[in-house]
């Protein structure tokens, strides 16, 4: 069994971080340059951490599989980033952002981490603005805000519909500055394929150069993974095609615990699937729900009609009806499940019946088409490009799609995993979003971890490591890890099967979506746990990987990633099966509110809402690898709330 | 629908390349152009042939990874969108489509349709940043920026660094890319202290990478997936001229105690 010590500092919640920073060890400037840190990933968390660690004086080596750090998938975030600035004077505060996030996560995140996130959120906006991130402004020159789901204040900062790109360009520019001055050595087209652990400490990685196929060893005093989420296990998602689980999965196989893998975010507003050739689902930003109203026809027979011909009285604005206090800005898990419910009732729209309307006609009447265009023009243009429909004239058709994974490698308060010296940031870790992430909080967490948390907490670990004592790359552990990577490559190339990795990926995605998607039950998960090992077995017998180990080989790259996804899928289903409760994005059909429950009768929840079981499941499920062919070991970290009371999550 | 593809195939940077003709399987007009290539590649793999290498990632027009020159035009027939947002309904049934990589000396070909655009990163490293340390920043609202300037900076900042401007230019000039970066920072008060040093360094690096000269034909603006305006080139030229007139930074004196 792994030892999980969360290392939460003692003392009142609101002063833990300040106190922790003061009591943590420091490293003197002359010694910092003697420590070498590997950072894998160059999205918001990886770039900001690399730049900041280099500014502090550490020797930083950054690895990314893209051709440029600027292309990491943080770039695609549209809507915005939350911060408790209270610039709108609408009652926001650090405590409110903290509470909204804890409640948004359905009381399944770690209290102390979330409070720290809310505290440093204000520094992020200052930092990004100083870097030249062109956030939206008002005519007086001040920063503008808008609202996002799960909040009743306007605390979201944004840069048109491309906040992610602008924040990433800010972090990338900081990275560039540090590459130029020698603080960071940047490796691009460099994919991490194994973690090297020496005497229980993470001491390096094995990397494949995607251009040349060359496999190299890299050593360090600490390894930081900022490699993003694993939603592509579903094949169809809003993730970039290249996003994968390989870095964290291989770390898991080296002993790092993977926490709450079944917590997946299904985003309510994406363009519906149109055919089986589809490679990607496109998100329509949550910000659209500031002005768009979600509805379906009240009667099944109206579903195929032109929406403009359905009278107002025949429409069911179901979010406004079911969650009157938050209405169309209900959190993502709730909005997605409500869409599924009305579609399951046969009231879904579009050719497949898996769709609902997002209607702007009221907003256009209220504000004018020009104002709506100013706010969301690029999103409407993107929608038209993909669907060939004009959303100014007819409502958008949307449906939920996989968007984010709240689960990830287990970390303590210092963001260190259960392997000493292995740190995990951003979407790759598990700690801040519980069972559901609120909109505009992923950007906040990535940058909080990279700019402000890790650069402070990593010193605590490094102060225990003697400077320049790190193992050389000729150490046996490096040899063994490299051999492991070479064997795997050889095995994939020598299968000579009949099916491409892409066809396996599609099959895996369908299993995961059907049995471990928006609604899960015991029977379905048990079925998936029979299908997945069979799929895995077929994979290693029948996968077809063309080309050679050397040089550019996209077939080989994807073959390794899909193999890891299949194993991860199995673990996700185990986790979902084990967690016999519903919470946030994890909806087990067996556990939902019924009309007879007191909470329903008091009007706190609707029948069918998720029902937690705090008595048995107020814990983090951290899974530990036990070797090939063995069932993984479940470790539990109890969630101890010192200030917040775990209560019924109500948005009514 | 079905189409015929005439695709540039090249084993690696050193090998000579050439066009190959492929017949597509049955396609759906609602497929994206890259999904069409996925389908063609699955078909090729089924016959044991090496799939066509092409670059892609986000498939929603923001990461700048996808490239391709389609029928002679970088990012295909439509204005203001990237290849990944181009749909097969834009092509007629039965046509031949010519697909080539971005071609420019500073973008060497890695394989088939994939080229190496690291030269853009090196230009950015030369000066495409505001030197601010983490933590050393004033409150965000203490810097007031007129909305017009902020909006214009945002227009420039939209550049996704794909390199289509270079691929479209007969001289393989990178002026639209560099001017977008220079203007984004130059329009903001935070970017003023390093404004002239920045433009000089970035232009110098651009020249060293082997990008050609700009003759303002506007082909870059026409193919830019984010419709970055040619005006930014004029803005950069002005900044560059001022920087030249002012000369380089004075060497710091070595005097003084402490």
């Amino acid at each position: 069994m792994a030892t999980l010590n969360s290392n939460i500092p003692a003392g009142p919640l609101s002063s833990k971080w300040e106190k922790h920073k003061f009591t943590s060890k420091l490293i003197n400037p002359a010694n910092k340059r003697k420590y070498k840190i590997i950072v894998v990933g160059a999205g918001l968390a990886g770039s900001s951490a690399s730049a900041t660690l280099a500014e502090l004086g550490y020797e930083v080596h950054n690895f990314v599989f893209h051709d440029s750090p600027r292309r990491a998938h943080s770039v695609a975030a549209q809507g915005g980033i939350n911060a408790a600035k209270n610039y709108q004077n609408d009652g926001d505060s650090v405590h409110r952002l903290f509470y909204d996030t804890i409640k948004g996560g359905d009381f399944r995140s770690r209290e102390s981490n979330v409070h720290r996130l809310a505290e440093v959120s204000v520094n992020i906006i200052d930092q990004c603005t100083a870097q030249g991130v062109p956030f939206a402004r008002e005519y007086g020159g001040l920063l503008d805000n808008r609202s996002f789901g799960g909040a009743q204040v306007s605390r979201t900062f944004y840069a048109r519909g491309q906040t992610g790109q602008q924040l990433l360009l800010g972090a990338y520019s900081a990275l560039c500055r540090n590459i130029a001055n020698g603080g960071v050595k940047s490796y691009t087209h460099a994919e991490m394929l194994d973690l090297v652990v020496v005497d229980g400490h993470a001491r390096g990685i094995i990397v494949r150069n995607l251009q040349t196929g060359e496999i190299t060893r890299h050593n360090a005093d600490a390894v930081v993974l900022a490699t993003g989420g694993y939603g592509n296990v579903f094949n169809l998602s809003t993730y970039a095609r290249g996003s994968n689980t390989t870095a964290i999965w291989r770390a898991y196989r080296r002993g790092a615990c993977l926490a709450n893998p079944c917590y997946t975010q299904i985003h309510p507003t994406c363009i519906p699937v149109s055919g089986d050739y589809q490679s990607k689902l496109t998100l329509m930003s949550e910000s659209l729900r500031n002005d768009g109203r979600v509805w379906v026809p009240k009667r099944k027979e109206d579903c195929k009609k032109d929406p403009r011909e359905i009278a107002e009285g025949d429409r069911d604005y179901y979010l406004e009806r079911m969650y009157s206090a938050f209405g169309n800005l209900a959190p993502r898990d709730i909005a997605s499940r409500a869409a599924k419910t009305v579609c399951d009732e046969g009231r879904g729209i579009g050719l497949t019946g898996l769709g609902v309307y997002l209607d702007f006609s009221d907003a256009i009447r209220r504000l004018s088409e020009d104002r709506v265009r100013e706010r969301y023009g690029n999103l409407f243009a993107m929608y038209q490009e993909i669907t060939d429909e004009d959303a100014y004239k007819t409502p958008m058709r949307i449906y939920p799609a996989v968007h984010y994974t709240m689960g990830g490698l287990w970390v303590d308060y210092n963001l260190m995993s259960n392997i000493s010296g292995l740190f995990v940031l951003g979407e790759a870790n598990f700690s801040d979003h519980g069972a559901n992430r609120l909109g505009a909080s992923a950007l906040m967490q990535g940058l909080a971890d990279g700019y402000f948390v890790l650069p402070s907490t990593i010193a605590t670990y490094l102060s225990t490591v003697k400077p320049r004592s790190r193992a050389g790359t000729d150490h046996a552990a490096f040899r063994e890890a490299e051999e492991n990577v070479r064997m795997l490559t050889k095995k994939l190339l020598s299968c000579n099967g009949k099916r491409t990795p892409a066809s396996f990926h599609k099959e895996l995605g369908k299993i995961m979506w059907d049995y471990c998607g928006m609604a899960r039950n015991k029977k379905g998960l048990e079925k998936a746990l029979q299908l997945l090992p069979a799929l895995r077995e077929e994979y290693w017998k029948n996968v077809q990987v063309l080309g050679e180990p050397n040089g550019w080989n996209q077939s080989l790259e994807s073959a390794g990633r899909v193999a890891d996804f299949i194993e991860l899928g199995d673990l996700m289903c185990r986790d979902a099966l084990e967690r016999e409760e519903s919470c946030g994005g994890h909806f087990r059909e067996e556990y939902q509110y019924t009309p007879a429950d007191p909470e329903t009768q008091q009007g706190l929840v609707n029948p069918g809402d998720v029902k937690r079981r705090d008595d048995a499941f107020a814990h983090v499920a951290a899974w530990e690898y036990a070797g090939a062919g063995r069932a993984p070991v479940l470790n539990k970290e109890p969630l101890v709330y010192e200030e917040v009371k775990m209560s019924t999550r109500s948005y009514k | 629908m079905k189409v015929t593809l005439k695709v540039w195939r090249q084993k690696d940077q050193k090998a000579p390349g050439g066009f190959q003709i492929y017949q597509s399987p049955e396609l759906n007009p609602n497929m994206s152009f890259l999904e069409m290539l996925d389908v063609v590649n699955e078909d090729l793999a089924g016959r044991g042939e090496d799939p066509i290498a092409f670059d892609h990632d986000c498939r929603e027009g923001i990461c700048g990874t996808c490239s391709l020159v389609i029928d002679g035009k970088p990012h295909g027939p439509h204005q203001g969108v990237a290849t990944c947002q181009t749909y097969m309904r834009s092509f007629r049934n039965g046509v031949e489509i010519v697909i080539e990589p971005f071609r420019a000396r500073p973008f060497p070909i890695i394989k088939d349709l994939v080229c190496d655009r690291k030269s853009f990163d090196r230009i950015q490293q030369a000066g495409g940043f505001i030197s601010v340390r983490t933590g050393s920043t004033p409150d965000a609202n203490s810097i007031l920026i007129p909305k017009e300037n902020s909006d214009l900076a945002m227009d420039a900042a939209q550049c996704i660094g794909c390199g289509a401007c270079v691929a479209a230019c007969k001289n393989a000039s990178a002026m639209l890319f560099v001017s977008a970066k220079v203007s984004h920072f130059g329009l903001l008060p935070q970017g003023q202290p390093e404004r002239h040093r920045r433009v000089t360094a970035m232009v110098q690096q651009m020249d060293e990478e082997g990008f050609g000269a700009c003759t303002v034909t506007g082909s870059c603006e026409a193919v830019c997936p984010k419709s970055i305006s040619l005006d930014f080139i004029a803005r950069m030229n002005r900044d560059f001229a001022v920087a030249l007139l002012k000369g380089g930074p004075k060497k710091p004196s070595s005097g003084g105690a402490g």
Side-chain angles (χ1 to χ4, degrees):
Chain A
M1 295 281 276
T3 314
L4 302 181
N5 183 352
S6 55
N7 285 313
I8 299 168
L13 187 62
S14 58
S15 56
K16 280 184 197 292
W17 178 232
E18 275 308 312
K19 196 176 147 216
H20 186 67
K21 279 192 289 184
F22 179 72
T23 53
S24 295
K25 290 264 175 36
L26 296 177
I27 292 174
N28 93 51
N31 273 346
K32 280 196 184 113
R33 70 178 81 106
K34 296 176 188 163
Y35 290 104
K36 180 176 164 189
I37 302 169
I38 284 174
V39 180
V40 187
L44 289 181
S47 287
S48 58
S50 298
T52 306
L53 290 169
E55 282 165 15
L56 288 170
Y58 298 110
E59 179 187 343
V60 178
H61 290 230
N62 180 277
F63 296 81
V64 60
F65 68 75
H66 297 87
D67 68 331
S68 162
R70 78 163 307 285
R71 306 210 195 281
H73 195 52
S74 305
V75 80
Q78 297 172 356
I81 176 167
N82 288 330
K85 281 286 195 186
N86 194 28
Y87 282 163
Q88 303 299 324
N89 192 31
D90 56 0
D92 201 10
S93 63
V94 165
H95 196 79
R96 189 176 295 282
L97 173 55
F98 155 71
Y99 187 78
D100 285 350
T101 308
I102 280 270
K103 178 184 168 192
D106 211 354
F107 305 95
R108 287 293 174 267
S109 43
R110 197 188 279 144
E111 198 185 35
S112 53
N113 287 51
V114 179
H115 198 277
R116 174 176 66 190
L117 177 67
E119 285 174 62
V120 302
S121 69
V122 295
N123 305 110
I124 296 170
I125 302 303
D126 298 342
Q127 180 66 27
C128 297
T129 303
Q131 287 169 340
V133 170
F135 284 124
R137 286 177 186 270
E138 298 163 355
Y139 280 101
L142 296 165
L143 291 166
D144 192 20
N145 291 106
R146 59 187 175 196
S147 300
F148 256 63
Q152 288 171 312
V153 295
S154 288
R155 62 159 77 96
T156 306
F157 295 79
Y158 64 100
R160 290 194 194 150
Q162 47 169 267
T163 316
Q165 173 171 237
Q166 295 312 318
L167 294 174
L168 184 63
L169 289 178
Y172 165 74
S173 68
L175 181 65
C176 283
R177 184 168 77 89
N178 285 287
I179 292 171
N181 68 23
V184 178
K185 183 158 170 42
S186 164
Y187 301 79
T188 55
H189 275 150
E191 181 165 28
M192 166 184 159
L193 291 180
D194 209 349
L195 176 75
V196 181
V197 181
V198 178
D199 302 330
H201 292 259
R203 284 291 181 257
I205 58 173
I206 307 294
V207 170
R208 180 171 181 269
N209 180 317
L210 301 184
Q211 275 189 39
T212 63
E214 191 190 3
I215 292 169
T216 48
R217 310 171 185 180
H218 301 266
N219 68 341
D221 295 288
V223 176
V224 180
L225 299 185
T227 53
Y230 49 83
N232 268 346
V233 69
F234 292 90
N235 186 35
L236 279 184
S237 75
T238 66
Y239 284 65
R241 284 309 290 167
S243 302
N244 66 77
T245 187
T246 291
I248 63 166
W249 190 255
R250 308 252 164 125
Y252 165 78
R253 292 186 63 141
R254 291 281 173 194
C257 287
L258 191 49
N260 302 333
C262 80
Y263 289 170
T264 312
Q265 174 155 88
I266 318 273
H267 195 294
T269 54
C270 302
I271 299 177
V273 177
S274 63
D276 72 6
Y277 51 81
Q278 202 149 352
S279 64
K280 154 94 190 176
L281 297 172
T282 304
L283 175 79
M284 288 283 107
S285 169
E286 179 159 319
S287 60
L288 290 168
R289 288 195 278 145
N290 271 286
D291 289 308
R293 299 177 70 194
V294 180
W295 64 274
V296 289
K298 281 184 179 162
R299 291 190 304 260
K300 284 183 197 175
E301 13 340 336
D302 288 346
C303 289
K304 300 289 174 212
K305 274 192 190 164
D306 183 330
R308 288 165 295 188
E309 285 165 14
I310 299 173
E312 194 62 25
D314 294 332
R315 301 175 174 193
D316 177 13
Y317 294 93
Y318 57 89
L319 285 176
E320 297 170 28
R321 172 171 59 80
M322 294 160 73
Y323 304 97
S324 55
F326 283 70
N328 292 297
L329 282 174
R332 290 176 177 177
D333 55 331
I334 288 174
S336 291
R337 220 156 20 239
K340 181 178 187 302
T341 306
V342 295
C343 291
D344 288 350
E345 287 166 12
R347 296 192 286 141
I349 53 92
L351 278 180
T352 57
L354 294 176
V356 300
Y357 290 121
L358 179 60
D359 196 334
F360 290 86
S361 51
D362 272 2
I364 290 171
R365 265 196 299 276
R366 189 179 76 241
L367 300 164
S368 83
E369 189 173 316
D370 281 349
R371 284 297 304 282
V372 171
R373 193 181 301 276
E374 193 182 300
R375 284 186 192 172
Y376 311 112
N378 63 336
L379 298 169
F380 278 57
M382 191 197 255
Y383 182 79
Q384 177 145 29
E385 206 55 60
I386 294 172
T387 61
D388 214 13
E389 289 171 14
D390 181 356
Y392 295 104
K393 304 260 168 345
T394 176
M396 284 184 181
R397 290 175 299 109
I398 53 161
Y399 196 68
V402 173
H403 181 58
Y404 186 89
T405 48
M406 282 74 71
L409 291 181
W410 183 89
V411 288
D412 68 1
Y413 188 75
N414 292 320
L415 303 183
M416 188 163 85
S417 78
N418 57 305
I419 299 179
S420 297
L422 178 69
F423 293 80
V424 192
L425 316 184
E427 190 177 347
N429 77 22
F430 87 102
S431 68
D432 291 2
H433 305 297
N436 172 60
R437 178 176 66 75
L438 290 183
S441 285
L443 304 184
M444 171 172 70
Q445 187 221 340
L447 291 179
D449 287 358
Y451 281 131
F452 299 107
V453 180
L454 178 82
S456 166
T457 58
I458 200 170
T460 305
Y461 171 72
L462 290 175
S463 65
T464 66
V465 180
K466 197 163 155 257
R468 294 205 172 124
S469 67
R470 58 181 172 263
T473 53
D474 52 355
H475 189 281
F478 279 91
R479 272 206 305 279
E480 185 267 327
E482 184 185 325
E483 196 46 40
N484 179 40
V485 169
R486 287 189 187 280
M487 284 294 292
L488 192 70
T489 307
K490 208 168 147 188
K491 205 169 145 193
L492 285 168
L493 282 164
S494 59
C495 271
N496 293 323
K498 293 269 181 293
R499 285 180 67 185
T500 58
S503 91
F504 281 99
H505 199 173
K506 218 173 245 184
E507 187 177 341
L508 168 68
K510 183 151 175 16
I511 296 172
M512 295 304 291
W513 182 250
D514 286 349
Y515 301 112
C516 198
M518 268 195 283
R520 302 149 176 194
N521 61 52
K522 184 161 187 278
K523 202 169 146 227
L525 289 164
E526 282 170 349
K527 174 95 188 280
L529 285 170
Q530 285 173 356
L531 295 172
L532 290 169
L535 184 69
R536 178 163 178 242
E537 196 175 323
E538 195 205 333
Y539 191 80
W540 288 104
K541 278 190 193 140
N542 198 23
V543 71
Q544 175 205 42
V545 187
L546 296 161
E548 292 161 18
N550 300 324
W552 187 264
N553 188 341
Q554 288 168 315
S555 174
L556 177 62
E557 285 167 33
S558 107
R561 295 170 190 170
V562 172
D564 291 340
F565 274 133
I566 296 175
E567 292 183 16
L568 168 73
D570 190 277
L571 188 69
M572 288 170 71
C573 291
R574 270 173 205 274
D575 186 42
L577 182 63
E578 182 75 26
R579 187 166 284 278
E580 293 181 328
E581 66 161 350
S582 295
C583 55
H586 171 62
F587 181 56
R588 279 287 298 266
E589 287 168 349
E590 302 94 321
Y591 307 98
Q592 50 181 304
Y593 283 104
T594 64
D597 281 315
E599 290 87 349
T600 319
Q601 288 177 3
Q602 287 162 25
L604 289 171
V605 293
N606 291 312
D609 277 352
V610 294
K611 192 174 187 180
R612 289 198 324 267
R613 292 176 58 204
D614 292 340
D615 52 333
F617 291 96
H619 62 248
V620 176
W623 295 88
E624 183 184 354
Y625 185 66
R630 292 224 190 105
V633 178
L634 174 59
N635 299 279
K636 293 177 184 175
E637 179 204 335
L639 288 169
V640 181
Y641 280 22
E642 295 170 16
E643 286 209 5
V644 168
K645 192 172 156 288
M646 288 187 185
S647 59
T648 305
R649 183 173 171 239
S650 173
Y651 289 98
K652 287 194 72 176
Chain B
M1 70 184 287
K2 279 188 180 181
V3 294
T4 305
L5 301 179
K6 187 174 169 188
V7 184
W8 185 262
R9 302 298 307 258
Q10 181 171 341
K11 190 165 178 289
D12 56 40
Q13 194 183 330
K14 298 202 182 78
F19 284 105
Q20 294 269 338
I21 309 274
Y22 301 98
Q23 295 299 327
S24 80
E26 186 62 31
L27 306 170
N28 180 320
N30 289 324
M31 279 177 178
S32 75
F33 196 83
L34 297 183
E35 284 165 352
M36 180 274 290
L37 284 178
D38 289 340
V39 170
V40 170
N41 272 346
E42 284 291 292
D43 193 50
L44 285 177
R47 288 185 266 131
E49 285 185 53
D50 193 26
I52 302 160
F54 65 95
D55 239 347
H56 65 93
D57 199 28
C58 80
R59 299 203 176 193
E60 52 185 287
I62 194 74
C63 73
T65 310
C66 67
S67 48
L68 305 189
V69 176
I70 302 168
D71 287 337
K73 195 169 167 232
H75 289 310
H78 294 294
Q79 208 145 18
V81 297
T83 292
C84 62
Q85 296 168 293
T86 302
Y87 285 77
M88 291 311 289
R89 69 177 85 94
S90 311
F91 299 89
R92 272 184 299 115
N93 187 16
V95 290
E96 180 183 86
I97 305 172
V98 183
I99 312 175
E100 297 167 83
F102 282 1
R103 293 183 195 275
R105 191 152 49 95
F107 290 169
I109 288 171
I110 295 172
K111 186 179 178 183
D112 297 342
L113 303 170
V114 181
C115 64
D116 188 336
R117 287 165 284 185
K118 292 193 187 73
S119 45
F120 270 16
D121 286 315
R122 290 189 291 268
I123 294 173
Q124 188 101 17
Q125 287 157 19
F129 47 76
I130 289 170
S131 297
V132 48
R133 259 180 303 108
T134 301
S136 61
T137 54
D139 182 84
N141 257 351
S142 67
I143 310 165
L144 295 181
I145 306 176
K147 189 174 187 311
E148 303 76 40
N149 293 12
S150 169
D151 284 349
L152 194 56
M154 181 67 206
D155 287 344
Q158 294 199 80
C159 167
I160 58 174
C162 64
C165 45
V166 174
C169 178
K170 62 187 164 66
N171 294 344
S173 166
M175 287 284 273
L176 193 67
F177 168 75
V178 180
S179 70
K181 300 294 164 193
V182 163
S183 303
H184 162 205
F185 293 120
L187 278 158
L188 298 171
Q190 303 93 306
Q192 297 313 307
E194 296 166 292
R195 183 169 175 176
H196 297 121
R197 181 203 298 252
R198 178 182 306 117
V199 67
T200 314
M202 289 180 82
V203 168
Q204 190 185 343
Q205 187 65 34
M206 173 179 85
D207 291 345
E208 277 173 23
E209 296 289 347
F211 290 102
C214 174
T215 52
V216 209
T217 63
S219 61
C220 49
E221 183 188 65
V223 302
C224 175
K226 293 292 156 189
S227 307
I228 305 279
S229 163
L230 209 54
D231 295 352
F232 291 120
I233 295 185
R235 193 173 276 281
M236 177 168 84
N237 282 337
R238 198 165 59 224
D239 270 15
F240 187 68
V242 172
L244 274 186
L245 284 171
K246 288 183 97 166
K250 225 175 95 189
K251 286 227 162 59
S253 78
S254 57

